[in-house]
Amino acid sequence: MTELIASTANLPAAGEIEPLTPEERAEIEHEISHYPNRQAATIEALKIVQKYQRWVSDGKVKAIAEVLDISPDAVDAVATFYNRIYRQPVGQKVLAICDSVSCWLLGCTELMDHASRSLDIEPGETSSDGRFTLLPTPCLGACDRAPVMKFEDKLITNLTAETLDWILKS
Amino acid sequence: MDFETPLTARIKANGEVTTLAEYRDAAGYQGLEIALSMESTAVIDLVKESNLRGRGGAGFSAGLKWSFVPRGEGTARPKYLICNADEMEPGTFKDRWLMECDPHQLIEGMVIAAYAIEADIAYLFLRADYEVAAERLQQAIDDAYQEGLLGDNICGGSYSLQLYLHTSAGRYICGEETALISSLEGKRAVPRAKPPFPQVSGLFGKPTVVNNVETLCNLPHILRNGADWFKSLGRGEDAGTKLFGVSGRVKNPGCWEMPMGTTIREILEGYAGGMQDGLKLKGFLPGGGSTDFLTEEHLDLPMDYGAIGKAGSRMGTGTMIVLDDQTCPVGMVLNLIQFFAQESCGWCTPCRNGLPFLRQLLEDLEYGKGRPEDLETMADYCRYLGPGNTFCALAPGAAEPLQSALKYFRRDFEEHVNQGGCTYRQQAKANG
């Protein structure tokens, strides 16, 4: 017990609220107007913050909770459920390689290994220079052009090791 | 082509979007005008009569689904229509095409469905990763508002509908209609017990209908051409056309609109061009990752809900995933079970605990730690995960490829036990 208390004491103090920017707030209010209650816009709020900040910090979770008039826990329960919300910082570019069945049939496992070796990180990690985060992703709905990946918001189809090398060097 | 393709007729070969002007030139929004000139109950009757069945996977009659919505004075308001555009079934890529290339067809379909159930508000629930579709749909929605096809007093009449685009943030479970409703309320996408059914108590506790993209896209054409025309499009017992897709190691993977009841052979060998050189067909999932395997003996079956059901599988989304003879069926099923285990929402025990357990057994098999009794254990677990034991259809669907693989590819499973791991990998290594 003492140990636990001691180790908790070393953690940073409970985060302050990180206020929403005027743009974030305006866009969230716009989305709230589409629903009969404010909580319904939780996912939109998280996505809006992430669009500007690239991830959602504890402080922003608190700020979203305030604007939606719900508890920070309720916001975090949603934030941690959906795989496209990042609760930790990501690199400058996110590579999300599809690992579902059609891409598996077309060799996505080898492509993931290739990216992982090239960046010297495991899937789920960010390269030491902070440039790339490598993620596995479920089916991207472009199975006729497998293997596929998302490079930020862009869909890359018929992915090869050469394309990956080119992206990682650019 | 000797058949009509109403759903894809306006889609351009270059993948560019059909604009509102182009859509209207091709008889667009005429179906809506016809619907608005009818009693809403007559629209439901027409769609019932047309035998339009849900294209999201379950195949339930669209008109019948609508008819459960309470009507008239004293009904809880607002009523909602939701378009399920959360296309995340592994191996499925049909709705993306319809939304990216012809967004007004979907919007028109949504307004018709909303009118039929007297909905006040409609939401288009789009999966996170379809950014191109999101951009084009939002543009189309804005254009439709601009021209009085959405909003107050649609087409100058008395019906009003607000339509909003909601883009999701991932998770397969959002495609389950009650989980989708939870998600749209800004919560974790956890399915709900039925009853009450969404038609009575759905989004925000109000009457709600959830329809798939392709289902809704059929409506403008049914309104314009009638129920008999729609029924005549199908070759067999089911009405209309269907988007069929093929992925895997075939020569020409893709998605095509064909009559309901087209044979699997025509789709696989004709449109998809058969297997890549040097490969043979071993089996296929006829309707996405959560359907039972079928094999060569089923190639001449028509793609009809009933025929595929009788063969022990489901037509599901109509997008097939092909397994060739040089790819390991155990590995393929492991990949699928891994997906379903990861995407389980964790709400009910058989799914949350059963799927990771199955993944472990399959991994053991692949990597040389499988035991003979594991095959029976897996078969037992497929039954425990079956219909009636879980909150929603995720776990029963996850069991389908495994239970059928145990039946059709039993020898492969046994050899994995006897040979100490994946025989396909061993063979590939031996071949250098």
Side-chain angles (χ1 to χ4, degrees), chain A residues 150-165:
Chain A
K150 289 276 293 283
F151 178 54
E152 288 291 293
D153 285 352
K154 216 170 137 48
L155 180 72
I156 314 274
T157 59
N158 301 116
L159 184 66
T160 62
E162 290 70 37
T163 315
L164 269 174
D165 289 341

Side-chain angles (χ1 to χ4, degrees), chain B residues 238-431:
Chain B
D238 282 321
T241 60
K242 176 84 191 74
L243 298 193
F244 293 117
V246 180
S247 67
R249 296 212 277 176
V250 294
K251 284 204 182 94
N252 180 33
C255 187
W256 309 271
E257 183 181 4
M258 284 175 239
M260 262 309 178
T262 301
T263 67
I264 296 168
R265 188 184 297 281
E266 268 182 271
I267 301 168
L268 277 186
E269 295 178 0
Y271 287 81
M275 303 305 294
Q276 288 179 9
D277 291 334
L279 300 178
K280 284 201 191 93
L281 175 73
K282 189 171 175 93
F284 57 93
L285 306 169
S290 65
T291 58
D292 285 89
F293 275 101
L294 295 177
T295 65
E296 208 169 3
E297 61 179 295
H298 303 108
L299 283 178
D300 291 311
L301 287 179
M303 280 296 261
D304 269 328
Y305 293 103
I308 303 299
K310 263 181 234 143
S313 188
R314 288 188 302 120
M315 198 166 77
T317 59
T319 41
M320 304 177 201
I321 308 159
V322 176
L323 169 67
D324 57 83
D325 65 333
Q326 284 168 42
T327 301
C328 175
V330 178
M332 179 169 169
V333 173
L334 169 58
N335 175 277
L336 288 161
I337 292 288
Q338 156 69 30
F339 170 86
F340 291 115
Q342 173 189 302
E343 295 300 322
S344 169
C345 77
W347 185 254
C348 66
T349 310
C351 185
R352 179 186 62 238
N353 293 12
L355 289 171
F357 179 68
L358 283 172
R359 174 181 59 200
Q360 187 60 54
L361 291 183
L362 286 161
E363 249 171 33
D364 287 352
L365 266 184
E366 268 297 272
Y367 297 101
K369 289 185 284 181
R371 299 163 304 171
E373 61 268 30
D374 289 348
L375 272 55
E376 271 329 297
T377 309
M378 285 194 276
D380 286 343
Y381 265 71
C382 286
R383 282 191 290 277
Y384 303 153
L385 292 178
N389 297 331
T390 57
F391 238 69
C392 81
L394 190 146
E400 288 177 21
L402 174 57
Q403 71 193 13
S404 49
L406 283 166
K407 180 166 94 186
Y408 291 118
F409 313 127
R410 184 113 198 150
R411 255 195 74 184
D412 288 296
F413 282 81
E414 286 166 357
E415 280 184 359
H416 275 63
V417 177
N418 300 334
Q419 306 292 321
C422 180
T423 44
Y424 290 79
R425 225 182 354 248
Q426 291 162 2
Q427 189 62 43
K429 215 175 253 177
N431 293 344

Side-chain angles (χ1 to χ4, degrees), chain A residues 30-158:
Chain A
H30 174 73
E31 292 295 336
I32 290 170
S33 73
H34 296 172
Y35 299 99
N37 68 51
R38 301 179 74 84
Q39 175 177 13
T42 306
I43 290 164
E44 279 89 348
L46 289 162
K47 288 181 77 169
I48 288 163
V49 166
Q50 185 165 295
K51 183 177 77 178
Y52 288 105
Q53 313 296 332
R54 291 194 57 74
W55 69 293
V56 183
S57 66
D58 290 352
K60 287 286 187 187
V61 164
K62 287 183 182 141
I64 290 170
E66 203 176 65
V67 74
L68 297 179
D69 200 19
I70 54 176
S71 74
D73 279 353
V75 175
D76 205 23
V78 171
T80 52
F81 185 86
Y82 295 94
N83 57 316
R84 286 283 178 251
I85 302 298
Y86 306 138
R87 282 289 276 117
Q88 357 178 345
V90 292
Q92 289 161 27
K93 304 282 179 199
V94 175
L95 301 179
I97 300 180
C98 174
D99 66 357
S100 291
V101 65
S102 304
C103 288
W104 180 84
L105 289 164
L106 274 295
C108 69
T109 313
E110 289 71 26
L111 292 169
M112 182 57 98
D113 288 347
H114 182 82
S116 182
R117 269 196 313 276
S118 306
L119 292 166
D120 197 23
I121 52 172
E122 293 296 317
E125 295 178 348
T126 300
S127 60
S128 54
D129 59 5
R131 288 181 68 212
F132 296 104
T133 296
L134 181 63
L135 298 176
T137 185
C139 185
L140 291 171
C143 319
D144 52 338
R145 294 167 282 169
V148 298
M149 77 164 185
K150 289 276 293 283
F151 178 54
E152 288 291 293
D153 285 352
K154 216 170 137 48
L155 180 72
I156 314 274
T157 59
N158 301 116

